[in-house]
Amino acid sequence: PEGLRYYVNSCNKETTWRRPSLSAEAPQRPLARPVTSLFKTHNISAHAIKPHVMFRLFYIILFYSRHCCYISVFLLFLLQINCVTFPLPGEGPEQQLLKPEEWSYCDYFWTDKKDPQGTTSVAGFEVLLQKQLKGKQMQKEMSEFIHERIKIEEEYAKNLSKLSLSPLAAQEEGTLGEAWTQLKKSLHDEAEVHLKFSNKLHSEVEKPLLTFRGDNFKKDLKKYDHHIADLRKQLASRYASVEKARKALADRQKDLEVKTQQLEIKLSNKTEEDIKKARRKSTQAGDDLMRCVDLYNQTQSKWFEEMVTTSMELEKLEVERIEWIQQHLRQYTTLRHETDMFNQSTVEPVDQLLQNVDPAKDRELWVKENKTGEVRPVDMDI
Ligand SMILES: *[C@@H]1O[C@H](CO)[C@@H](O)[C@H](O)[C@H]1NC(C)=O
Ligand SMILES: *[C@@H]1O[C@H](CO)[C@@H](O)[C@H](O)[C@H]1NC(C)=O
Ligand SMILES: *[C@@H]1O[C@H](CO)[C@@H](O)[C@H](O)[C@H]1NC(C)=O
Ligand SMILES: *[C@@H]1O[C@H](CO)[C@@H](O)[C@H](O)[C@H]1NC(C)=O
Ligand SMILES: *[C@@H]1O[C@H](CO)[C@@H](O)[C@H](O)[C@H]1NC(C)=O
């Protein structure tokens, strides 16, 4: 502030002690394009842009002299959707995926999703949370399904057991009677097999599916939800500050311009003093805006980091869930195969005895036990 004033050309970084001529100050940056040309370049109709796209303005005060204030306005065109800042398609360097080839959650849920009516929008993170909740529900429903399966087995076993005690045809005799008795007994064994199957289904499939991730899971999800939502709220409030600071700067800018013009046409002799004041205020407003943008940037960075870590955590949870269910459904098929095998072993003795059924032997036995006399009649003697 005490030394000699020197000038910096922000475009080519040249410095000079002498105030550059006006023509040298003409904005050379291609960024300083009129807004409408950008709309055209990106094929955006101004109408479509209304609620969600805004433009960040960076006012950088290059230098000012006694009578004029030269302000270079840099327009940085960015897409702002629900207070999150995105590069405008085609502008800036291409972004690389964080985890290419993996279809990772952390790469695909940055934008908010509009519902079909277009009235409300859901944060990308919310979509991930909904997937988790749905997964939990599916796991619960699978457990319910297995429960129904178990009930069928139990009822079937009960029916078999009951039938095996039936007195029907209990008096069949011989080898056929033995086979019949075995057949009835096999129903009882089979019932045991089904009962065992249903017990194992309960302890090895239904219960694990039901208890996998207890009530704490939903609490954990809520924690994640609140954490990320809080960061978004912070971001929105920082965004509002930026907007406010931007407007304040624009007002200061306009004020300064008016006063500069007033001086030029010598409306008042107080203007020089006013201009100094206005200049100071304008610089301050510029600083304010920078500070607000900086805070906004910091919050957005924090949100970004938390989104990456948390979405990868959710991704891990989903892999675990799928593998857990896969493992227990495999257990179901294993038990089912086992049941078939045991089931078969209960009918094997019946088959054996059926093979042994021998009408001749049965006749022999029966005759032996029930014969009423083997002495045949003879002719009458005269
Ligand atoms: C068990 O028996 C009852 C009638 O006694 C029948 O209604 C039911 O369908 C049977 N259940 C199975 C699984 O066989
Ligand atoms: C300039 O201001 C002084 C007081 O500060 C006043 O006496 C004078 O009349 C003003 N001149 C003009 C041209 O307004
Ligand atoms: C805000 O972030 C952008 C992008 O990282 C950066 O270019 C810019 O300098 C930052 N602005 C402030 C004021 O921190
Ligand atoms: C057991 O075998 C019987 C016939 O022997 C069959 O009807 C039933 O479906 C089998 N049960 C299972 C669980 O395989
Ligand atoms: C045949 O003999 C057995 C054994 O003594 C007996 O239990 C059964 O009642 C007899 N059958 C008839 C029809 O008498």
Side-chain angles (χ1 to χ4, degrees), residues 1-51:
E2 292 89 24
L4 262 176
R5 176 172 292 154
Y6 76 101
Y7 301 95
V8 181
N9 182 324
S10 71
C11 300
N12 57 20
K13 303 282 182 281
E14 267 177 19
T15 58
T16 170
W17 293 107
R18 289 182 49 199
R19 189 165 75 78
S21 68
L22 265 169
S23 64
E25 293 142 19
Q28 291 158 9
R29 299 213 161 185
L31 275 169
R33 274 180 286 173
V35 173
T36 45
S37 100
L38 258 126
F39 285 175
K40 247 183 221 151
T41 315
H42 295 291
N43 199 18
I44 301 167
S45 88
H47 175 71
I49 272 175
K50 261 277 150 115

Side-chain angles (χ1 to χ4, degrees), residues 266-270:
K266 299 222 175 338
L267 269 179
S268 141
N269 67 358
K270 269 173 67 193

Side-chain angles (χ1 to χ4, degrees), residues 149 153 156 160 190 193-194 197 336-337 339-344 346-347:
R149 181 73 183 82
E153 283 304 303
Y156 187 64
L160 283 176
E190 226 186 287
V193 170
H194 286 272
F197 176 48
R336 184 67 184 73
H337 283 309
T339 305
D340 275 349
M341 269 151 53
F342 288 131
N343 198 358
Q344 209 173 15
T346 64
V347 287

Side-chain angles (χ1 to χ4, degrees), residues 56 58 76 289-295 297:
R56 280 157 53 144
F58 288 85
L76 200 56
L289 175 58
M290 282 305 198
R291 212 171 14 253
C292 287
V293 171
D294 190 36
L295 284 174
N297 277 357

Side-chain angles (χ1 to χ4, degrees), residues 86-142:
F86 298 97
L88 208 59
E91 293 277 310
E94 188 126 340
Q95 287 182 342
Q96 296 301 309
L97 292 178
L98 297 170
K99 299 181 87 184
E101 320 258 318
E102 280 191 43
W103 292 98
S104 175
Y105 284 176
C106 72
D107 271 316
Y108 297 96
F109 293 89
W110 291 109
T111 328
D112 296 344
K113 193 180 110 185
K114 273 205 163 290
D115 74 352
Q117 286 88 35
T119 45
T120 51
S121 65
V122 174
F125 187 69
E126 209 64 35
V127 174
L128 289 177
L129 285 176
Q130 279 166 12
K131 168 79 175 143
Q132 293 284 323
L133 288 172
K134 190 168 148 195
K136 178 90 179 113
Q137 179 63 19
M138 293 305 102
Q139 165 207 333
K140 196 173 143 252
E141 285 183 17
M142 282 180 191

Side-chain angles (χ1 to χ4, degrees), residues 156-166 180-196 342-343 346-347 350:
Y156 187 64
K158 220 184 280 168
N159 284 4
L160 283 176
S161 222
K162 202 169 126 199
L163 190 58
S164 81
L165 297 174
S166 157
W180 175 245
T181 305
Q182 185 60 43
L183 190 147
K184 278 164 78 179
K185 189 178 167 302
S186 82
L187 256 59
H188 180 265
D189 295 344
E190 226 186 287
E192 289 286 293
V193 170
H194 286 272
L195 214 55
K196 219 177 253 167
F342 288 131
N343 198 358
T346 64
V347 287
V350 181

